[in-house]
Amino acid sequence: REISHDMHKLWHLAESDILAERNRYTLADTGQGLNRIQRAPSVYNCVHGIISRCQRRIGSWVGSSVVHLGDHNVPNALMFIDKYTQVPKILSPIVLVIEYIGNDLDPAISEYIDRAFGGKESLVKLILSDFFRHGFDGSGADNFFDAGSCIDGRLTSAWNWCSKLEKKAYFPVFKLAGFDNFENF
């Protein structure tokens, strides 16, 4: 949430970092294709400030506070910005499905949910517990450092969860709710 609230500032800093004459870049294959690898000191400092504020406010922190920026994981500031603009694409379909389940449903759909999942409340708990258990578990990369519990690694894990949605027992409910994909729910 905090990064989303500071997105305008981060975008401005990203442009400043990218356009700074003293801040050269290299072109390299990062494993995600050919990318412009470039340090982003202003964005990096701002993000660390946001993380520090969050850590002070909540009092404890699970996982690493490492921020990949200007390396093979997140090659430059615009890639960092892009990762965080994906958050609503991940969360919106989940929220909409949870809302759909809470609606008055066709009796046949309600019966299906009761039989298959033990009712609406059990289904909601199943979806949310699965997402929170596996959407941030360090999956989706080659090693723990790349997608472990670092800030951007959690997004990698969330996208990994999304890529496996079609195999979940509750996927038919996503389809009944109108889910097509994470781009155009």
Side-chain angles (χ1 to χ4, degrees):
R1 183 186 99 182
E2 298 300 321
I3 287 182
S4 295
H5 282 118
D6 282 338
M7 188 58 72
H8 186 294
K9 178 181 179 180
L10 288 166
W11 194 281
H12 173 75
L13 292 172
E15 288 181 352
S16 295
D17 282 341
I18 285 173
L19 297 174
E21 286 186 36
R22 70 189 185 291
N23 194 15
R24 301 283 179 202
Y25 70 90
T26 59
L27 237 61
D29 185 350
T30 62
Q32 305 170 60
L34 194 59
N35 282 283
R36 177 182 178 148
I37 298 178
Q38 185 177 28
R39 292 177 49 249
S42 302
V43 172
Y44 186 85
N45 290 333
C46 183
V47 170
H48 271 285
I50 293 167
I51 292 169
S52 294
R53 277 196 324 260
C54 291
Q55 288 173 323
R56 279 192 307 274
R57 192 173 70 238
I58 62 175
S60 65
W61 189 265
V62 176
S64 169
S65 57
V66 169
V67 175
H68 290 283
L69 192 51
D71 62 14
H72 73 278
N73 293 303
V74 184
N76 57 61
L78 289 180
M79 295 287 271
F80 180 86
I81 298 290
D82 181 62
K83 275 193 169 217
Y84 282 91
T85 61
Q86 304 300 313
V87 171
K89 291 180 181 183
I90 296 169
L91 296 180
S92 293
I94 298 169
V95 169
L96 292 171
V97 168
I98 299 303
E99 288 174 347
Y100 168 80
I101 294 167
N103 291 338
D104 288 331
L105 301 174
D106 180 274
I109 295 173
S110 291
E111 183 179 340
Y112 162 68
I113 289 173
D114 289 342
R115 283 190 190 170
F117 305 102
K120 290 180 174 186
E121 186 176 333
S122 294
L123 176 56
V124 168
K125 286 180 182 177
L126 175 64
I127 293 168
L128 292 177
S129 65
D130 187 55
F131 178 70
F132 287 112
R133 183 177 298 120
H134 300 292
F136 306 100
D137 65 358
S139 61
D142 296 333
N143 60 63
F144 182 77
F145 181 73
D146 288 348
S149 59
C150 60
I151 303 304
D152 55 283
R154 294 173 193 193
L155 288 172
T156 301
S157 296
W159 273 122
N160 190 53
W161 178 88
C162 295
S163 75
K164 297 177 179 178
L165 180 62
E166 292 177 350
K167 295 175 177 71
K168 307 288 184 180
Y170 50 77
F171 181 66
V173 179
F174 272 69
K175 295 300 282 181
L176 289 167
F179 176 81
D180 185 37
N181 60 57
F182 286 93
E183 291 289 326
N184 305 313
F185 186 86

